[in-house]
Amino acid sequence: MSPRSSTEVRPLGVALLGSTGSIGRQTVEVLEAHADRFQVRALATGRNAAELEAQARRLRPAAVSLADEGTQLDLPAGTERWRGGEALERMAVLDDVDIVVVGTGGVVSLRPVLAALRAGKVVASANKETLVSGGHLVMAEARARAGERAAVDPHDPLATPLAWLRPIDSEHSAIWQCLVGERRSAVARLILTASGGPFRDESAEEIAAATPERALRHPNWSMGAKITIDSATLANKGLEVIEARWLYDVAYDAIDVVVHPQSVVHSAVLFIDGSLKAQLGTPDMRLPIQYALTYPERLPSSAASLDLVAAARLDFRAPDEARFPALRIAREAGRTGSRASAALIAADEVAVARFLDGTLDFNGIPRLLEAAVRRFGEGDDQAPDIAALVALDGEVRAAFAAGPVEAA
Ligand code: MG
């Protein structure tokens, strides 16, 4: 089973993992706006039973999964509840599923992502562990699927790894859109833009005293709490640098980060002739979600179109790694390898949770990241298999769950 070309009329089957989170709910909006194009076959989420029931009534999937298995679900006729740790993997490889959308967090998403790619399904992912921890595993599968297509028809839109592992993140979607129709040998640099978060203009002293309330106030994007804190520390941008290295197969030295407070330029590519292509848009995740679903086509969207005159001005500046050390720590982890970057992303989960519950100060976040990478990220096996990645994730979380965090 493999995705059909977009000129055929049968709707594409979708499995949506993480359907009630921020990405999941916006994906549902896009799918409902294009109900003639997509048929939702499976929905999975963690705890939000009421929202999952409402989605099931509207979308009529064949299967749903709620990780909180003690909670009862009231489901419409024709929708089954799947239980057990394998439910997500089973959904990802369903015969009539063509695209698996991954809106869940955590290293647990790696198994369904790999299973989907191996079964010839397209994956559209907003899950950072997919690439930060599992980039070496996932991109090998995406390249294999693309190679199979290229052998038949090199002009097939699916003859590129990015068509199999489609980024939903706005920055990576932007770079992907800039690269369509270009040769990789023509790419000089990737430029990831960062809003800079709520503390971009604050002094080191003000940042050190940052509270969760202030950090949660993101200037441009409406996102979940975890990613909002990550954008305040720039850890989010550091993780995106690692993802970019895997998605676009470029060296770390060729990936720049530029602070762009307006979040209008979502990212850019500099080519060897000095030409720079950027993708611009309003800060609305429904745009990159929809592009990942409809590639290589574009369809009308309910997101507001960008008005350049209204935007009026766009500012850019270099990031300050002294005030925001997470960016440097992430680059170093990425250069060390997948074990180090897996330790980094697990540590970031713990660090953000502890900052939010008041057991770690704001600068404790980068301190914990660096300590975790030093303690768990070094070693010869920098391309671990899934079992090793899951084990490492658990070790890092356990080691830093409580207690003081010393500077590395
Ligand atoms: Mg992003």
Side-chain angles (χ1 to χ4, degrees):
M1 184 82 199
S2 57
R4 293 165 298 279
S5 86
S6 52
T7 53
E8 288 176 47
V9 287
R10 184 166 93 66
L12 291 175
V14 178
L16 173 54
L17 312 183
S19 68
T20 68
S22 174
I23 293 293
R25 281 181 280 109
Q26 294 180 80
T27 302
V28 167
E29 274 185 55
V30 172
L31 293 169
E32 289 187 308
H34 299 290
D36 54 326
R37 301 278 188 134
F38 302 102
Q39 173 69 51
V40 176
R41 308 287 184 192
L43 294 170
T45 197
R47 281 176 300 277
N48 193 339
E51 178 75 19
L52 181 63
E53 287 173 342
Q55 289 176 343
R57 282 193 293 275
R58 297 206 309 274
L59 300 165
R60 299 302 175 109
V64 299
S65 164
L66 184 71
D68 175 7
E69 300 210 330
T71 300
Q72 292 303 307
L73 285 177
D74 179 17
L75 296 171
T79 298
E80 267 180 48
R81 179 176 188 171
W82 288 6
R83 293 174 183 271
E86 314 284 288
L88 270 56
E89 271 174 270
R90 287 169 57 210
M91 288 176 167
V93 301
L94 270 171
D95 267 352
D96 52 8
V97 163
D98 303 287
I99 301 184
V100 179
V101 180
V102 187
T104 46
V107 75
V108 288
S109 302
L110 257 179
R111 284 184 207 277
V113 165
L114 278 169
L117 289 169
R118 286 182 183 134
K121 317 294 189 186
V122 164
V123 172
S125 177
N127 169 277
K128 284 193 144 48
E129 284 82 358
T130 295
L131 288 159
V132 172
S133 306
H136 57 294
L137 304 171
V138 168
M139 290 315 291
E141 292 296 333
R143 274 194 296 275
R145 295 299 83 73
E148 289 156 14
R149 291 293 178 132
V152 178
D153 174 10
H155 301 294
D156 186 335
L158 292 171
T160 160
L162 279 166
W164 291 91
L165 192 78
R166 302 181 184 179
I168 283 179
D169 211 358
S170 59
E171 293 81 356
H172 296 119
S173 179
I175 291 172
W176 177 27
Q177 292 179 56
C178 293
L179 289 173
V180 169
E182 302 285 354
R183 295 201 177 152
R184 292 310 143 90
S185 56
V187 173
R189 309 192 68 76
L190 306 181
I191 298 148
L192 284 165
T193 53
S195 72
F199 306 138
R200 68 181 166 234
D201 297 317
E202 299 200 359
S203 67
E205 293 69 31
E206 287 170 312
I207 291 169
T211 60
E213 291 68 34
R214 283 206 296 133
L216 284 170
R217 253 180 255 138
H218 194 280
N220 303 338
W221 295 90
S222 159
M223 307 181 290
K226 164 70 169 51
I227 192 169
T228 303
I229 302 301
D230 281 344
S231 92
T233 58
L234 291 199
N236 182 50
K237 212 51 52 180
L239 297 172
E240 287 176 1
V241 168
I242 298 171
E243 292 178 283
R245 173 261 176 273
W246 287 110
L247 277 170
Y248 312 108
D249 197 20
V250 290
Y252 281 104
D253 291 339
I255 305 172
D256 296 326
V257 171
V258 171
V259 173
H260 167 47
Q262 292 92 352
S263 298
V264 169
V265 174
H266 294 321
S267 279
V269 177
L270 180 69
F271 293 92
I272 51 176
D273 60 358
S275 186
L276 185 139
K277 276 167 85 173
Q279 187 263 339
L280 287 70
T282 50
D284 188 324
M285 286 307 294
R286 290 174 299 180
L287 285 174
I289 290 168
Q290 179 167 303
Y291 189 74
L293 287 166
T294 64
Y295 165 89
E297 269 191 279
R298 290 185 186 273
L299 295 179
S301 163
S302 40
S305 298
L306 176 63
D307 178 341
L308 280 178
V309 174
R313 64 175 280 182
L314 303 175
D315 298 302
F316 303 93
R317 68 176 97 137
D320 179 355
E321 294 192 6
R323 283 183 304 146
F324 301 102
L327 196 52
R328 167 188 59 78
I329 296 164
R331 269 185 196 278
E332 287 171 5
R335 282 197 176 95
T336 303
S338 288
R339 187 176 172 80
S341 43
L344 172 82
I345 196 167
D348 189 51
E349 286 279 336
V350 181
V352 171
R354 290 189 56 179
F355 171 66
L356 290 173
D357 75 19
T359 64
L360 197 64
D361 63 336
F362 190 77
N363 287 336
I365 298 175
R367 219 162 51 235
L368 192 154
L369 299 185
E370 192 149 45
V373 172
R374 293 266 165 88
R375 182 159 156 201
F376 290 97
E378 279 155 19
D380 290 336
D381 180 17
Q382 289 293 342
D385 62 15
I386 294 191
L389 287 170
V390 171
L392 173 65
D393 187 78
E395 284 169 41
V396 171
R397 286 166 188 263
F400 293 97
V405 180
E406 308 302 332

